[in-house]
């Protein structure tokens, strides 16, 4: 079972473990092969969302396409409308698999803040005791800058200082991928509205797929 993730940026590759987990826990028993649509290597980069979707499908054919947009200051439904309109403009000759919108309320990093253990392990100091000051689960989607909260938590968890901390800071962008890879159970995210919607959409897709067999 193959899926492609088209995201706002390369940092949002952190969503791949979330999507893989959701597919497995909602009935996909086949081997799941994920791909991130890397459009940065193209000589002529697509501009519009429609062009990005077309290039993603041409370069990374799949059973289902996940299209990520952070809601940020917009109502999540606005992003969904954007994606739907972009899909409607696709080249009619293009083979179009089912698609699912992935729309975190703020940034994808917000979905990494619920696993303190993964953050400590990613920091390289799994047995550290420093308080990370992570938001309560119910408040995760309300954070203005979840990326900075994650980076701060990683710094604190590392318990590094001076020159070692400066070196550590250089690797923060890569460490968020490590946090995502280390999370074994994404079920706490089921308390978040955006994650609930994503899971419902995945359930609907799988049910439709089963009915077509």
């Amino acid at each position: 079972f193959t899926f492609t993730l088209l995201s706002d940026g390369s940092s949002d590759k952190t969503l791949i473990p979330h999507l893989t987990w959701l597919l497995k826990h909602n009935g996909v028993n086949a081997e799941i092969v994920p791909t991130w649509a890397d459009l940065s290597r193209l000589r002529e980069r697509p501009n519009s969302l429609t062009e990005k979707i077309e290039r993603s499908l041409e370069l990374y054919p799949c059973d289902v396409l996940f299209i990520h947009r952070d809601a940020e200051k917009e109502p999540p439904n606005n992003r969904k409308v954007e994606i739907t309109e972009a899909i409607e403009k696709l080249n009619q000759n293009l083979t179009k698999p089912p698609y699912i919108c992935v729309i975190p309320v703020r940034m994808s990093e917000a979905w990494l803040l619920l696993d303190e253990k993964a953050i400590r392990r990613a920091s390289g100091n799994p047995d550290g005791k420093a308080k990370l000051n992570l938001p309560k689960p119910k408040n995760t989607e309300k954070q203005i800058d979840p990326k900075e909260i994650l980076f701060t938590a990683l710094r604190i968890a590392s318990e590094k200082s001076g020159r070692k901390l400066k070196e550590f800071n250089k690797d923060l962008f890569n460490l968020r991928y490590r946090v995502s890879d280390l999370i074994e159970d994404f079920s706490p995210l089921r308390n978040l509205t955006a994650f609930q919607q994503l899971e419902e959409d995945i359930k609907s897709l799988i049910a439709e797929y089963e009915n077509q067999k």
Side-chain angles (χ1 to χ4, degrees):
F1 185 95
T2 62
F3 76 79
T4 297
L5 170 64
L6 171 61
S7 63
D8 280 344
S10 61
S11 64
D12 301 301
K13 287 187 287 186
T14 56
L15 291 167
I16 285 179
H18 299 71
L19 300 173
T20 302
W21 185 90
L22 280 169
L23 289 166
K24 285 181 178 178
H25 284 77
N26 285 284
V28 176
N29 297 316
E31 178 186 0
I32 297 172
V33 182
T35 303
W36 176 66
D38 183 5
L39 303 181
S40 63
R41 63 188 181 87
L42 298 178
R43 182 174 297 176
E44 294 184 11
R45 295 190 187 180
N47 294 313
S48 70
L49 182 55
T50 295
E51 291 172 344
K52 291 176 182 177
I53 294 170
E54 287 179 344
R55 297 298 282 138
S56 296
L57 293 177
E58 289 167 0
L59 294 170
Y60 308 101
C62 55
D63 293 312
V64 59
L65 175 68
F66 287 98
I67 305 172
H68 159 262
R69 298 296 309 278
D70 285 327
E72 296 181 338
K73 297 179 181 180
E74 296 283 336
N77 195 56
N78 287 11
R79 296 301 192 198
K80 186 166 281 193
V81 169
E82 270 182 42
I83 293 170
T84 301
E85 290 177 346
I87 289 287
E88 290 173 350
K89 296 175 184 175
L90 290 177
N91 185 327
Q92 295 301 308
N93 295 322
L94 190 65
T95 300
K96 295 182 281 292
Y99 74 94
I100 291 179
C101 304
V102 185
I103 309 175
V105 168
R106 288 289 181 182
M107 305 173 188
S108 56
E109 284 83 1
W111 287 359
L112 301 176
L113 298 177
L114 295 185
D115 196 319
E116 181 177 328
K117 182 180 177 181
I119 293 172
R120 291 190 186 279
R121 289 176 66 194
S123 77
N125 187 28
D127 298 321
K129 303 299 180 185
K131 190 174 180 180
L132 303 190
N133 301 312
L134 295 171
K136 294 180 180 179
K138 65 180 181 180
N139 295 328
T140 301
E141 291 185 320
K142 300 175 183 177
Q143 304 306 309
I144 294 175
D145 192 350
K147 182 189 299 181
E148 186 52 42
I149 293 172
L150 176 64
F151 287 176
T152 298
L154 284 164
R155 292 187 193 100
I156 295 171
S158 75
E159 298 185 23
K160 295 181 185 297
S161 59
R163 183 178 297 175
K164 288 184 177 179
L165 180 59
K166 286 184 179 180
E167 288 300 313
F168 183 82
N169 284 333
K170 294 177 182 178
D171 204 31
L172 281 174
F173 284 88
N174 291 324
L175 286 177
R176 60 184 155 190
Y177 304 128
R178 182 68 177 146
V179 174
S180 185
D181 286 337
L182 287 170
I183 297 176
E184 297 175 357
D185 181 11
F186 290 95
S187 60
L189 291 173
R190 285 173 165 157
N191 295 313
L192 305 181
T193 305
F195 196 81
Q196 290 171 6
Q197 183 61 60
L198 174 59
E199 183 160 26
E200 286 304 312
D201 291 344
I202 286 175
K203 285 180 179 178
S204 298
L205 175 77
I206 293 171
E208 185 176 338
Y209 179 77
E210 289 297 322
N211 289 335
Q212 290 176 354
K213 282 186 176 181

